[in-house]
C-alpha cells in the first residue's frame, strides 16, 4: 500500500496488468503515443511528394518487419523477399481484376496466399540450415519470378497488371494523404502484432531457434513446426506489403520483384537492426530515402561537377554497397544501436561514462 | 540426334566455365566459411579489364591476359584485406551481406567506368566453324574448353601437391589446428581471395569472348551458386562435376523445353535441380556432412 503522506518516487507496479504491459513506464507510453500522434499529423503539414515518400517508407517497413521475423528473430536467412512481395502484389491484382473482390478482402487474402507459398518454400528448412537454406530461398526467388513471367494468362507476363486504389464507403482513397493513413494504420498493426508475438510462446520458441537450434529442439521445441510458422508469419506481412505497394503504384510487373529488391530488404533489416521492430522501421526509412537524398545531393553538386548526375544509377549502387559494408564493419547492430547510444548519452549527460 | 549432340557439346563448354567459376566459390567457402556473392562482379571486372587492354591499348592477347590476371589477384588481395578481414568469425548473415554489399559497390564502380552497353572483343579466332560428325562448333568454344580443362587440372594438382595448396586444405579443415601447426591463416585467406579472383577473371574473359561483355554478365555469379551448392560447398571435385552436369542439363532443357513454355527455362533449371537435390542430400552431392553436438 502506498503511503498517502509521502511523495511517490520511482515506478511502482501494483497490478499484474502493469507488469504485462508492452510499455511499462508511463513516461515511455506517453512518448510513444506522442510520436504516433506526430505521424498522424504529418500529412496535414507535408506536401504530397513528402507524403508519398513517407508512404513508400511505411510500406517497405511492413515488409521489413515481416522479413525481420524470419531473419532477425528466427535466424533463417531469406533472399526471396522480392518474389514474396510479388506473390502478394499479384494475388491482390488477380483477385481484384479476375474475381472482382474488393480491396478489403484482396489484401488479407494476398497475405494468406503469400504465407502459404512462404511456408511451402520453408519446407526444405526441415533439413537445410545456414547458407544452404539461404540458397533455397534464392531458388524460391528465381522459380516464383519465372512462374510469374511465364503464366501469361493469369499474370499478364512481362506486361504486368494494373490495379485500383481502394474504396471505403464509396469514397476512393485516391489522394496521397488518404493512402498514407491506410498504410500507417497497417504499419502500426504489423508493429504491434510483431512486438507482442515475441512476448508469446511461439515468439519465444522462434528466438530460441535462432540462438541455438539444437538446444531448442532438446528443450522440446518442434523445430520444423516453428520454422514453418516463422516462414508463414513473415511471408504474411511481406504479402500484405506487396499488395499495398501494388495498389499504391497501380501497376505491377516482374521487374518490380527481382533479386535486387530482396537484397535491399535484407539491407534494411541489417542496417536498421536485426531482431528489432523499430530497427526494421529505421532501416526501411533509411534505404527508401537513400536514393532520394543521393539525388538531391547530386543536384546540389551539379554546378561543380556537371557530369556526376549522369552516373546516378551507378552511384546509387556504389553508395548502397558502401553503406552496407560500413554499417557491418562499424555498427553491426544497426541504427537501433546508434539510437540507443544517443539516448544513453543524453540520459547520462553531462557525465560521459556509463555503468556498462 | 544432331540437335541433341549440338546441345550436349554446347552445354559441356558452358558447364566447364561454370565449373571454373564454382571453383572460386568453393575455395572461399572452404577457407573462410563464406559465400562470395561478388563472384559475378569479379568476372565482370576481369572481362572489362582485358577488353580495355586489348581493344583500347592494343596490347597483344597473351600479355593482356597476364596483366588482367595479375590485376585480379591484386584486387582480390586488396578486397580481402580492406573489406572482409573484419568478418572472420562473424555470423553467416554478416558475411553474406558483406559480399552482397561488395557486389553492389563493385557493380557501381564498373558501371561508372565502362557503362552498361554490350561490348565485344576483337575477333581472335577464325569464324570458320569446325564440323565434327554433324555437330557444328565455333573454335572459341574449343579453346574455352581446352583452357578450362587445363586450369582445372592445374588447380587439382596445386591443391594436392604444392605447399600452399596443402596449407589451404589444412586451413579449410580446421583453422585453429592449422594455425597451431605454423600455417598463417591470414595469408591463406589472402591467397584464397587472389585465386578466386583469378579464376573468376578467366571465366570472365572466356565468357566475354563467347557472348560479349556487358553488365548482365555479373548475373552468372548468381547462376553458378546452385552449381557450387549442388556439388557441395566444400568439394572441389563436386564443383567440377556439378558444373559440367548443370551446363549440360540446362542446355538440353533450354533446347527441348524452351519451345514449349516460351523461353527462360535455362535460368530456373539449375535452381529446380538444386532444391530437389538439397531435399535429399542437404550437403550437396559431395559436401562434407557436419555433425553437430549440443
Amino acid at each position: 500500500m502506498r503511503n498517502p503522506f509521502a511523495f511517490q518516487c520511482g515506478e511502482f507496479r501494483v497490478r499484474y496488468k502493469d507488469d504485462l504491459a508492452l510499455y511499462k513506464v508511463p513516461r515511455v507510453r506517453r512518448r510513444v503515443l506522442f510520436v504516433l500522434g506526430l505521424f498522424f499529423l504529418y500529412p496535414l503539414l507535408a506536401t504530397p511528394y513528402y507524403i508519398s515518400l513517407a508512404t513508400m517508407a511505411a510500406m517497405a517497413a511492413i515488409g521489413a518487419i515481416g522479413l525481420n521475423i524470419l531473419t532477425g528473430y528466427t535466424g533463417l536467412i531469406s533472399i526471396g523477399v522480392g518474389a514474396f512481395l510479388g506473390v502478394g502484389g499479384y494475388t491482390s491484382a488477380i483477385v481484384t481484376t479476375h474475381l472482382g473482390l474488393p480491396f478489403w478482402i484482396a489484401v488479407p487474402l494476398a497475405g494468406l496466399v503469400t504465407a502459404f507459398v512462404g511456408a511451402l518454400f520453408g519446407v526444405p528448412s526441415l533439413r537445410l540450415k545456414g547458407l544452404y537454406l539461404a540458397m533455397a530461398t534464392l531458388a524460391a526467388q528465381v522459380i516464383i519470378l519465372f512462374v510469374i513471367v511465364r503464366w501469361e494468362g493469369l499474370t499478364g507476363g512481362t506486361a504486368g497488371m494494373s490495379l485500383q486504389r481502394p474504396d471505403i464507403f464509396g469514397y476512393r482513397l485516391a489522394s496521397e494523404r488518404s493512402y498514407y493513413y491506410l498504410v500507417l494504420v497497417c504499419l502500426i498493426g504489423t508493429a504491434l502484432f510483431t512486438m507482442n508475438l515475441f512476448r508469446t510462446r511461439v515468439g519465444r520458441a522462434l528466438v530460441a531457434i535462432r540462438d541455438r537450434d539444437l538446444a531448442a529442439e532438446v528443450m522440446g521445441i518442434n523445430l520444423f513446426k516453428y520454422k514453418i510458422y516463422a516462414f508463414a508469419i513473415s511471408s504474411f506481412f511481406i504479402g500484405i506489403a506487396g499488395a499495398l505497394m501494388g495498389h499504391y503504384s497501380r501497376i505491377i510487373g516482374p521487374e518490380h520483384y527481382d533479386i535486387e529488391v530482396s537484397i535491399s530488404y535484407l539491407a534494411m533489416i541489417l542496417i536498421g537492426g536485426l531482431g528489432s521492430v523499430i530497427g526494421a522501421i529505421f532501416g526501411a526509412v533509411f534505404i527508401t530515402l537513400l536514393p532520394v537524398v543521393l539525388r538531391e545531393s547530386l543536384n546540389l553538386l551539379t554546378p561543380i561537377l556537371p557530369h556526376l548526375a549522369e552516373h546516378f544509377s551507378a552511384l546509387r549502387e556504389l553508395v548502397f554497397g558502401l553503406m552496407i559494408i560500413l554499417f557491418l564493419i562499424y555498427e553491426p547492430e544497426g541504427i537501433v544501436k546508434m539510437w540507443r547510444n544517443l539516448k544513453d548519452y543524453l540520459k547520462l549527460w553531462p557525465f560521459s561514462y556509463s555503468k556498462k | 540426334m544432331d540437335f541433341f549432340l549440338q546441345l550436349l557439346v554446347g552445354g559441356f563448354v558452358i558447364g566447364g566455365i561454370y565449373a571454373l567459376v564454382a571453383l572460386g566459390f568453393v575455395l572461399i567457402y572452404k577457407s573462410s566459411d563464406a559465400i562470395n556473392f561478388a563472384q559475378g562482379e569479379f568476372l565482370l571486372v576481369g572481362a572489362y579489364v582485358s577488353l580495355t587492354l586489348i581493344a583500347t591499348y592494343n596490347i597483344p592477347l597473351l600479355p593482356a591476359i597476364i596483366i588482367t590476371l595479375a590485376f585480379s589477384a591484386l584486387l582480390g588481395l586488396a578486397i580481402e584485406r580492406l573489406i572482409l578481414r573484419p568478418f572472420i568469425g562473424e555470423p553467416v548473415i554478416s558475411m553474406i551481406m558483406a559480399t552482397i554489399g561488395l557486389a553492389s559497390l563493385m557493380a557501381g564502380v564498373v558501371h561508372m567506368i565502362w557503362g552498361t552497353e554490350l561490348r565485344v572483343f576483337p575477333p581472335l579466332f577464325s569464324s570458320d566453324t569446325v564440323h565434327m560428325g554433324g555437330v557444328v562448333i565455333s573454335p572459341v568454344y574449343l579453346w574455352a574448353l581446352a583452357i578450362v580443362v587445363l586450369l582445372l587440372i592445374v588447380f587439382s594438382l596445386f591443391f594436392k601437391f604444392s605447399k600452399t595448396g596443402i596449407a589451404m586444405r589444412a586451413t579449410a579443415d580446421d583453422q585453429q589446428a592449422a594455425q597451431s601447426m605454423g600455417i598463417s591463416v591470414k595469408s591463406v585467406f589472402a591467397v584464397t581471395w587472389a585465386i578466386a579472383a583469378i579464376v573468376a577473371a578467366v571465366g570472365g574473359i572466356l565468357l566475354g569472348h563467347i557472348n560479349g561483355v556487358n553488365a548482365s554478365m555479373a548475373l552468372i555469379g548468381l547462376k553458378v551458386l546452385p552449381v557450387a551448392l549442388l556439388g557441395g560447398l566444400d568439394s572441389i571435385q563436386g564443383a567440377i562435376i556439378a558444373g559440367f552436369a548443370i551446363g549440360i542439363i540446362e542446355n538440353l532443357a533450354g533446347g527441348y523445353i524452351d519451345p514449349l513454355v516460351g523461353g527462360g527455362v535455362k535460368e530456373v533449371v539449375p535452381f529446380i535441380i538444386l532444391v530437389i537435390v538439397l531435399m535429399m542430400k542437404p550437403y550437396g552431392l559431395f559436401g562434407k556432412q557436419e555433425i553437430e553436438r549440443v
Side-chain angles (χ1 to χ4, degrees), chain B residues 105-118:
Chain B
L105 183 70
M106 284 173 76
V109 173
V110 166
H111 295 169
M112 269 173 86
I113 300 176
W114 285 290
T116 49
E117 65 275 17
L118 184 76

Side-chain angles (χ1 to χ4, degrees), chain B residues 2-19:
Chain B
D2 280 353
F3 183 57
F4 175 77
L5 280 176
Q6 184 77 50
L7 290 174
L8 199 67
V9 172
F12 198 68
V13 176
I14 295 293
I17 295 173
Y18 287 173

Side-chain angles (χ1 to χ4, degrees), chain A residues 55 68 76 107 173 220 321 332:
Chain A
T55 310
N68 221 348
L76 307 171
V107 171
L173 299 183

Side-chain angles (χ1 to χ4, degrees), chain B residues 7-283:
Chain B
L7 290 174
L8 199 67
V9 172
F12 198 68
V13 176
I14 295 293
I17 295 173
Y18 287 173
L20 198 63
V21 181
L23 194 64
F25 281 115
V26 170
L27 282 175
I28 287 172
Y29 183 80
K30 269 177 90 85
S31 74
S32 55
D33 271 357
I35 281 196
N36 176 20
F37 275 86
Q39 193 75 0
E41 275 71 19
F42 277 111
L43 216 81
L44 196 59
V45 170
Y48 268 122
V49 170
S50 69
L51 178 68
T52 310
L53 290 173
I54 294 170
T56 314
Y57 296 104
N58 292 319
I59 295 172
L61 182 66
L62 209 58
I65 286 176
I66 290 168
I67 297 172
T68 307
L69 296 188
F71 176 82
S72 295
L74 286 177
L75 186 70
L77 287 177
I79 284 172
E80 195 275 335
R81 183 70 197 85
L82 290 176
I83 296 178
L84 289 137
R85 195 159 289 176
F87 296 102
I88 293 175
E90 290 283 312
V92 181
I93 183 163
S94 304
M95 210 65 188
I96 291 185
M97 277 315 285
T99 58
I100 287 178
L102 175 65
S104 183
L105 183 70
M106 284 173 76
V109 173
V110 166
H111 295 169
M112 269 173 86
I113 300 176
W114 285 290
T116 49
E117 65 275 17
L118 184 76
R119 306 220 281 186
V120 287
F121 277 91
L124 292 167
F125 310 105
S126 65
S127 52
D128 304 335
T129 49
V130 182
H131 292 262
M132 289 198 310
V135 183
V136 186
I137 313 169
S138 94
V140 182
Y141 281 83
L142 290 178
W143 275 104
L145 189 61
I147 292 167
V148 165
V149 170
L150 181 74
L151 272 176
L152 290 177
I153 291 170
V154 167
F155 276 113
S156 307
L157 294 176
F158 172 77
F159 288 117
K160 201 140 191 120
F161 298 113
S162 84
K163 210 168 168 182
T164 321
I166 293 167
M168 284 170 77
R169 282 194 291 147
T171 312
D173 205 43
D174 188 337
Q175 290 181 7
Q176 241 171 356
Q179 190 122 36
S180 60
M181 297 303 287
I183 293 170
S184 162
V185 172
K186 277 183 185 167
S187 59
V188 166
F189 283 176
V191 174
T192 309
W193 277 86
I195 294 181
I198 289 176
V199 285
V202 175
I205 295 169
L206 293 177
L207 271 177
H209 277 287
I210 294 174
N211 291 332
V213 186
N214 74 343
S216 66
M217 195 184 214
L219 291 177
I220 194 153
L222 279 182
K223 212 172 161 191
V224 178
L225 263 177
V227 174
L229 266 104
L230 190 67
L233 271 174
D234 46 15
S235 162
I236 289 171
Q237 336 144 298
I240 296 170
I241 295 170
F244 283 111
I246 293 263
I248 291 168
I249 293 173
E250 89 167 24
N251 221 27
L252 290 178
Y256 288 107
I257 305 176
D258 258 357
L260 301 179
V261 295
V265 174
K266 273 187 178 185
E267 310 299 321
V268 302
V269 160
F271 285 97
I272 294 174
I273 298 172
L274 175 73
V275 172
I276 296 169
V277 170
L278 285 187
M279 295 285 266
M280 290 179 285
K281 287 183 76 80
Y283 292 99

Side-chain angles (χ1 to χ4, degrees), chain A residues 244-267:
Chain A
L244 286 174
M245 285 172 190
H247 286 280
Y248 180 68
S249 61
R250 277 178 277 188
I251 187 141
I252 54 174
E255 72 278 4
H256 296 121
Y257 303 115
D258 57 11
I259 179 103
E260 278 152 34
V261 178
S262 303
I263 288 171
S264 66
Y265 273 79
L266 269 177

Side-chain angles (χ1 to χ4, degrees), chain A residues 5-21:
Chain A
F5 299 105
F7 275 115
Q8 195 176 0
C9 174
E11 294 301 333
F12 295 97
R13 295 188 204 128
V14 288
R15 284 163 302 179
Y16 285 119
K17 205 173 143 245
D18 295 343
D19 235 5
L20 292 172

